[in-house]
Amino acid sequence: MLVIRLARGGAKKRPFFTIVATDSRSSRDGGFVERFGFYNPKATESETKFRIAQDRLAHWRSVGAQVSPTVARLVKTFGASAAGDAAKAPAVEAASDAPSGSEQQSSS
């Protein structure tokens, strides 16, 4: 069975968690199928505390993955701000798809 949960990283006394889709039998920090977010409980005011790819979360839920209680709580708490981060990303990609002057000269 697939489960969406936190995998711990970071240093001693400085936890950092990634949100992963993994098999329920694997260890907490073991192998995973996909990593699609993070949670930094020690983030300062200027750093991002939580980010998740909402589309990937919806995908894994649709294929039957169970969400851990902790991840469910984080999504409920930070859901609106995480969706706002995801909404900004396509605008950056659209701007980077436009060819620059140097790319136009190299193609001729």
Side-chain angles (χ1 to χ4, degrees):
M1 178 171 77
L2 285 173
V3 65
I4 298 169
R5 65 180 176 205
L6 299 175
R8 191 183 191 281
K12 181 179 172 183
K13 305 288 186 182
R14 293 285 301 165
F16 186 88
F17 298 95
T18 55
I19 301 169
V20 297
T22 185
D23 189 283
S24 62
R25 295 169 292 185
S26 66
S27 65
R28 180 191 70 183
D29 302 331
F32 55 87
V33 179
E34 183 180 3
R35 178 180 5 196
F36 53 92
F38 70 84
Y39 171 57
N40 183 2
K42 300 283 188 173
T44 62
E45 302 255 343
S46 63
E47 296 174 336
T48 305
K49 189 167 192 150
F50 177 81
R51 184 180 304 154
I52 190 166
Q54 295 284 350
D55 59 330
R56 299 309 297 163
L57 178 64
H59 165 75
W60 285 111
R61 282 182 171 172
S62 71
V63 296
Q66 298 293 313
V67 181
S68 74
T70 305
V71 172
R73 178 181 52 83
L74 290 171
V75 169
K76 184 177 179 182
T77 304
F78 297 106
S81 63
D85 292 341
K88 294 176 188 174
V92 173
E93 291 174 12
S96 65
D97 289 341
S100 67
S102 62
E103 290 177 9
Q104 290 176 349
Q105 292 173 354
S106 63
S107 64
S108 41

